[in-house]
Amino acid sequence: MPFISKDWRSPGEEWVKTEEGWEKKKILECGRQINGSAQDNMDTRCGTTALGTFSADLSFSNRWMDEEDKENMVTEESPPTDTLAIAQSISRGASDGTVKPHCHITIKCTREIAGFNGLSDAFKRLDFRNAVHDVRRFNYICKLLDLLISQKLTMLSGCAQKVLFNMLEEVAYQVSASQQNIHMLNKLLQQLRMMIDCACWGRPLGSTLLWEQHLRTINRILSIANCIEIREPGDDVFPKLQNLPEECVREVLLRLADHKDLESSGRAYSVMRRLVDEQRIWRELCQFHFTQQQISHVQGGQSPPHDWQSTYHKLRKAFGLREEYAEMIQLCRSCRCLFWKSIGHPCIVDQDPEFQEKLENVDKNTLYVPIPPQAFLKFFSL
């Protein structure tokens, strides 16, 4: 059945010239809203001028548009009259700057619905570049970058590559400002070097001009990473880690979820080295990452092991580690929308009374599905 509208042909897209190239106007409209914490982090980053040549613009989203583009944006829309109109209104986004970061996707293509999910558009609509500065979302985004760089880099479009390198640059600025997660930045840069060195016929795939721009971005990231230096707290800061009681230090170690962090902590000073060798530390680490059935399988039905550290490494090699994120992308089953759980999204259920009646007896928690990084990439043709 053909799509019936005022014009059977596709209306096309409206594009806007920006400092970083041509961008779709609907993406710019969706990216206008930046939460207060992200704006504060952007302002903080603007102060670190010694780390590189960073332009102190107000925000990543707002610097896309000039004044003429902002004036031409839609300022008022008629209220939707049916479900399709509601979905279209939500997808276009409100023009008052209150749109929450979200991205509608096509779950299944049919004869009536033929859609294509663009990875670069999703990154911009979900405001990934500013989300890097949120400590709750940092690990999730770094995992996505890890998967893209190590497995999908040569399959990305030019626009997606540009967004990826911009996000990686934001990670470098965040690591430099926070003095944390330096090992994650080094891991991403190491994988990036390997992928570029292993490119087809000795050169990266894609436009030469585009990759010249990418290489300039990579050089900026490397200069930021080389300038990172861990600053120890001053003499006036008290108490320091060495001054904490042994019980407090043990509680700190019990909250580390990575064995590499434990091993690095053991090299810090003598108290930590002694505590890291305790069986309780490794026992609780095993119980955090693995189920009781998995632990029993490795034990072979025997009594609890005397060496939990070796048991942990056997379990890690056999089953892999559990991935835990403070916040994940969620999928709304009602409107097929990806969004950040703590921010929410403009759902079709909130605007359509018929949907509200259908979901009266439904558990609201089942309407939202957490999407791990590996599952997130499956929505796109990579």
Side-chain angles (χ1 to χ4, degrees):
M1 179 178 179
F3 178 78
I4 300 176
S5 65
K6 293 182 180 180
D7 192 343
W8 60 271
R9 295 167 297 181
S10 172
E13 298 286 356
E14 186 173 357
W15 293 76
V16 176
K17 178 65 174 178
T18 68
E19 295 179 0
E20 300 183 357
W22 289 90
E23 297 288 350
K24 296 179 183 178
K25 187 172 182 180
K26 64 181 181 181
I27 298 296
L28 302 182
E29 294 174 355
C30 185
R32 294 180 66 197
Q33 175 70 15
I34 295 182
N35 54 43
S37 60
Q39 182 64 48
D40 294 340
N41 287 321
M42 293 289 288
D43 296 338
T44 302
R45 186 190 66 181
C46 291
T48 58
T49 55
L51 297 178
T53 57
F54 172 71
S55 176
D57 295 319
L58 291 179
S59 67
F60 169 66
S61 301
N62 289 337
R63 74 182 180 194
W64 278 349
M65 297 177 286
D66 53 25
E67 295 300 328
E68 183 179 356
D69 294 327
K70 294 180 180 179
E71 293 176 358
N72 293 333
M73 292 179 67
V74 181
T75 57
E76 185 177 357
E77 294 185 6
S78 58
T81 56
D82 56 8
T83 302
L84 179 60
I86 293 173
Q88 293 174 347
S89 176
I90 293 176
S91 64
R92 286 193 298 269
S95 60
D96 57 357
T98 60
V99 177
K100 301 176 181 179
H102 65 284
C103 178
H104 289 273
I105 60 172
T106 301
I107 302 295
K108 182 179 180 181
C109 294
T110 63
R111 291 183 177 180
E112 293 79 13
I113 302 176
F116 174 80
N117 302 319
L119 183 62
S120 60
D121 291 350
F123 281 161
K124 294 174 183 177
R125 287 180 176 273
L126 293 168
D127 198 19
F128 269 40
R129 187 168 179 177
N130 288 320
V132 169
H133 303 286
D134 192 324
V135 65
R136 298 168 298 177
R137 307 170 197 165
F138 182 84
N139 290 336
Y140 185 93
I141 296 177
C142 284
K143 181 60 177 180
L144 269 178
L145 293 175
D146 185 8
L147 295 173
L148 288 172
I149 293 175
S150 60
Q151 302 176 13
K152 309 290 186 180
L153 184 60
T154 57
M155 304 170 61
L156 298 179
S157 64
C159 186
Q161 291 176 2
K162 186 185 298 184
V163 175
L164 184 145
F165 289 123
N166 289 335
M167 289 170 54
L168 185 58
E169 188 174 6
E170 292 295 324
V171 171
Y173 279 115
Q174 176 64 18
V175 170
S176 176
S178 64
Q179 298 283 298
Q180 299 176 3
N181 300 306
I182 298 179
H183 65 288
M184 299 180 70
L185 176 61
N186 292 333
K187 179 182 178 182
L188 293 174
L189 293 177
Q190 182 180 3
Q191 291 179 343
L192 184 59
R193 293 190 191 97
M194 293 175 58
M195 289 301 301
I196 294 178
D197 293 340
C198 298
C200 183
W201 291 296
R203 298 187 62 184
L205 297 177
S207 168
T208 302
L209 296 177
L210 180 63
W211 268 99
E212 289 178 356
Q213 181 179 353
H214 292 341
L215 292 176
R216 288 194 295 268
T217 305
I218 293 173
N219 290 333
R220 290 199 306 269
I221 297 173
L222 292 176
S223 64
I224 297 170
N226 294 332
C227 292
I228 296 177
E229 184 177 355
I230 300 298
R231 299 185 299 269
E232 296 185 4
D235 297 334
D236 56 338
V237 178
F238 188 85
K240 295 183 174 61
L241 183 62
Q242 294 86 345
N243 304 124
L244 294 178
E246 184 175 310
E247 293 78 8
C248 295
V249 178
R250 181 182 291 106
E251 291 299 323
V252 172
L253 295 176
L254 286 172
R255 282 157 177 77
L256 297 179
D258 193 341
H259 63 281
K260 296 181 181 178
D261 293 335
L262 281 176
E263 295 170 354
S264 299
S265 300
R267 294 191 293 268
Y269 73 111
S270 57
V271 175
M272 276 193 168
R273 181 164 57 251
R274 185 176 70 255
L275 294 177
V276 166
D277 293 334
E278 290 184 357
Q279 293 298 313
R280 177 190 173 187
I281 302 292
W282 294 96
R283 182 183 73 246
E284 296 199 11
L285 190 62
C286 289
Q287 295 173 351
F288 172 79
H289 283 285
F290 311 104
T291 64
Q292 187 60 43
Q293 291 78 6
Q294 292 173 333
I295 296 176
S296 300
H297 175 75
V298 172
Q299 294 175 359
Q302 300 178 359
S303 58
H306 298 287
D307 188 358
W308 281 99
Q309 183 173 356
S310 61
T311 302
Y312 168 82
H313 290 294
K314 292 179 182 178
L315 289 166
R316 176 175 60 86
K317 295 177 182 178
F319 303 104
L321 298 179
R322 167 189 173 186
E323 293 186 2
E324 189 74 14
Y325 303 99
E327 184 173 4
M328 297 174 60
I329 291 290
Q330 304 278 317
L331 172 65
C332 177
R333 291 182 173 179
S334 301
C335 60
R336 301 296 188 265
C337 180
L338 297 174
F339 64 98
W340 292 106
K341 182 178 181 181
S342 62
I343 299 179
H345 71 292
C347 186
I348 191 175
V349 178
D350 301 330
Q351 301 187 27
D352 190 355
E354 295 183 1
F355 266 86
Q356 295 178 0
E357 295 178 359
K358 294 178 181 179
L359 300 177
E360 286 182 354
N361 299 326
V362 177
D363 185 6
K364 299 300 186 294
N365 295 327
T366 61
L367 298 179
Y368 305 137
V369 182
I371 305 298
Q374 294 86 349
F376 179 85
L377 296 179
K378 293 181 180 180
F379 291 118
F380 309 94
S381 300
L382 297 176

